Amino acid sequence: MKSRQRASNAIIMILLFGLAVLFLAPIFIVLMNSFKGRLYISDAPFKLPTKETFAGIENYIEGMKKTKFASAFGWSFLITVGSVLLIILFTAMTAWYITRVKTKLTNGLYYLFVFSMIVPFQMVMFTMTKVANIIHFDNPIGIMLIYLGFGSGLSVFMFCGFVKSIPLEIEEASIIDGCNPVQTYFRVVLPMLKPIVITVAILNVMWIWNDYLLPYLVIGRDYKTIPIAIQYLKGGYGSIDMGAMMAMLVLAIIPIVLFYLSCQKYIIKGVTAGAVKG
Amino acid sequence: MNRNLKKYFPLFVLPTLVAFTIAFLIPFLLGIYLSFTKFTTVNDATFIGFGNYIKAFQNHDFLNALWFTTKFVVVSVLTINIFAFAVALLLTRGKKGTNVFRTIFFMPNLIGGIVLGYIWKLIINGILARYGVTLTYSETYGFWGLVVLMNWQMIGYMMIIYIAGIQSVPDELMEAAKIDGASRWQLLRHVTLPMVMPSITICLFLTLSNSFKLFDQNLALTAGDPSKRSSMLALDIYNTFYGRNGWEGVGQAKAVVFFIIVAVIALLQLKITRKKEVES
């Protein structure tokens, strides 16, 4: 009985190990190819670099020049951080208000926010781009406000769910102590929202950092984020510089992996909570 | 408290509401209106009734994309959920060191669609090169390429949700079933599965809507080639808007149809699986 158990354990471990190799292989293959000369990539992507094909960091230099990677990273970073801060600040306030003040208006707003979650981006793609253009939101600051608007559905919904679980007495006590609603919110309510703030922030960071189509349509001509810069590398009809492409894929993955490894616990908790609510 | 807070509407709600109106509400309503008109920019629209919808459903590319997307959704929802559930079962057998695997399996989920698309383009083209063809040689390759890519991306995410579900099954329940002489298969079929039904609801919902709305991966992997035959709905709508002059109205009509399909599926699916859930 015991040896059978041990054998089945060994089989499970082997299975899991094999799967892990399969999951990591694509990233290693890209990493490996990023050090090969660009002409040696497409033909034999699974061959290790040899003396002939090894190109050092040439692909990285070439790719960074072609994509202006440093500036793309800067825009991605600025837009992601700015949008997420705006989303957290404003949607949490909104969620608290529409949960605590019960009127027909707030109730209607709640359902409107929930409704917006099921609308696919393609539905508003063209008109949103036009509106952004007309009111001059087609710049890095404007796009943060667009992210606030388009992302408010999920964020308000998640904050509302959490606010409902906070006992009203705590807020009432602070009112009795002489706080006005603004003080109550920032001093009492907001600190209690911390776990859900982390969840909402992570979900939005993952969305905005990786988003391609929205920034491409709204600000893509003048400000290229990382996904836009990578897509531009493909260009029109010409052939792709595979070396530069591999190097840029590696550079695009590094920040994500670092982010993941440094706040893995929160990320997994966050996406699970997000899924359960969504 | 309530009355006191009420007058703070401009501070607490207005900023979000204004942004929401600009980025969602106006574009949404305008989009519905424009789908009944002929236009090239927003201000030159003339009303033409259902003309755009008729054109959309006569459009070969659209019907092809609809069929391609449907096939893709069915295959990827099934494969992702079966694999993710199987991996979750393996990881919840109480062995040490499984956290490392969890970390590895989940990672692809964080990588953006464009990057994912180009990673898999390299690999699949590398494999196909042995047979002298490329990804864009036939839409079948594009189809299976997308399925593999989507599995790689989503299995880890779904696995995490299934693990949470499986771990919440009470031990007493498993013990009781074992004492009653249930086999391993019976345990899975009659205890675990009904108890994790809520997780299955969530996972089906997430994989369904993510597969249906797929865009970035499609654009990067095949860009619809050969000749739009591997275009999914989202990409077809994009190409109708920006790739064909005078067809903006048809693009918007396609987008409305797309929205209705996504909404109906989401609601139906939630309703059906909610019924099957067991109270614990």
Side-chain angles (χ1 to χ4, degrees), chain A residues 9 94 97 210 231 260 264, chain B residues 6 16 27 95 103 110 118:
Chain A
N9 280 350
T94 305
Y97 185 97
N210 289 323
Q231 180 64 16
Y260 178 48
Q264 190 197 351
Chain B
K6 215 170 173 179
T16 312
K95 301 293 156 321
T103 307
L110 295 155
Y118 286 113

Side-chain angles (χ1 to χ4, degrees), chain A residues 9 12 23 45 90 94 97 123 125-128 149 152 182 206 210 212 216 231 234 260 264 271-272 278, chain B residues 5-6 8-9 12-13 16 19-20 23 27 39 93 95 103 110 112 118 126 152 157 160 205 219 238 241 252:
Chain A
N9 280 350
I12 288 175
F23 265 77
F90 288 118
T94 305
Y97 185 97
M123 174 66 207
M125 168 178 76
F126 183 81
T127 41
M128 177 206 276
S152 57
V182 179
M206 283 169 51
N210 289 323
Y212 165 73
Y216 171 71
Q231 180 64 16
K234 194 196 165 202
Y260 178 48
Q264 190 197 351
V271 293
T272 317
Chain B
L5 176 60
K6 215 170 173 179
Y8 284 87
F9 185 85
F12 279 89
V13 181
T16 312
F20 182 71
F39 66 96
R93 304 259 322 252
K95 301 293 156 321
T103 307
L110 295 155
Y118 286 113
W152 191 62
Y157 186 2
I160 296 277
F205 179 70
L219 179 70
Y238 173 82
F241 267 122
Q252 189 60 59

Side-chain angles (χ1 to χ4, degrees), chain A residues 12-262:
Chain A
I12 288 175
M13 283 314 267
I14 292 168
L15 257 175
L16 286 173
F17 194 77
L19 264 176
V21 170
L22 270 179
F23 265 77
L24 290 175
I27 293 173
F28 276 115
I29 291 170
V30 170
L31 184 67
M32 180 176 92
N33 279 291
S34 72
F35 295 108
K36 293 200 317 209
R38 60 176 171 164
L39 300 172
Y40 300 102
I41 294 169
S42 301
D43 302 336
F46 306 121
K47 284 201 182 116
L48 283 164
T50 60
K51 240 180 209 160
E52 253 172 279
T53 60
F54 184 72
I57 56 164
E58 193 185 291
N59 291 327
Y60 287 85
I61 295 168
E62 187 66 15
M64 285 183 73
K65 236 189 276 168
K66 276 190 180 156
T67 55
K68 299 198 181 75
F69 190 83
S71 113
F73 182 88
W75 289 125
S76 273
F77 189 81
L78 182 82
I79 291 170
T80 306
V81 171
S83 309
V84 171
L85 286 178
L86 280 179
I87 289 174
I88 297 293
L89 176 67
F90 288 118
T91 60
M93 286 166 81
T94 305
W96 183 60
Y97 185 97
I98 65 178
T99 311
R100 290 298 184 236
V101 178
K102 281 282 156 232
T103 61
K104 266 189 193 138
L105 175 69
T106 57
N107 203 30
L109 279 178
Y110 177 76
Y111 284 109
L112 208 53
F113 282 123
V114 172
F115 168 75
S116 79
M117 292 196 299
I118 60 164
V119 177
F121 178 66
Q122 271 70 21
M123 174 66 207
V124 296
M125 168 178 76
F126 183 81
T127 41
M128 177 206 276
T129 313
K130 288 288 168 205
V131 171
N133 215 318
I134 289 166
I135 59 172
H136 300 296
F137 268 25
D138 43 4
N139 53 60
I141 303 292
I143 203 171
M144 291 177 195
L145 296 167
I146 290 178
Y147 272 124
L148 167 64
F150 200 66
S152 57
L154 177 72
S155 304
V156 166
F157 175 68
M158 292 195 64
F159 279 123
C160 279
F162 194 87
V163 170
K164 274 177 204 149
S165 70
I166 299 177
L168 204 60
E169 289 78 26
I170 302 175
E171 292 159 34
E172 283 168 347
S174 100
I175 296 283
I176 292 166
D177 288 345
C179 285
N180 64 35
V182 179
Q183 291 166 321
T184 306
Y185 175 76
F186 282 102
R187 290 194 189 158
V188 180
V189 179
L190 193 55
M192 288 192 290
L193 293 180
K194 198 182 151 205
I196 193 77
V197 165
I198 295 173
T199 301
V200 172
I202 281 168
L203 289 177
N204 282 303
V205 165
M206 283 169 51
W207 167 45
I208 297 168
W209 179 266
N210 289 323
D211 202 13
Y212 165 73
L213 194 51
L214 197 160
Y216 171 71
L217 291 174
V218 177
I219 58 167
R221 207 177 305 150
D222 305 316
Y223 310 93
K224 293 182 178 58
T225 59
I226 293 175
I228 301 174
I230 286 178
Q231 180 64 16
Y232 258 87
L233 210 49
K234 194 196 165 202
Y237 291 93
S239 59
I240 315 176
D241 177 347
M242 285 302 278
M245 177 61 98
M246 292 304 118
M248 292 307 102
L249 292 180
V250 172
L251 289 188
I253 294 172
I254 288 172
I256 298 167
V257 171
L258 291 180
F259 173 63
Y260 178 48
L261 294 180
S262 58

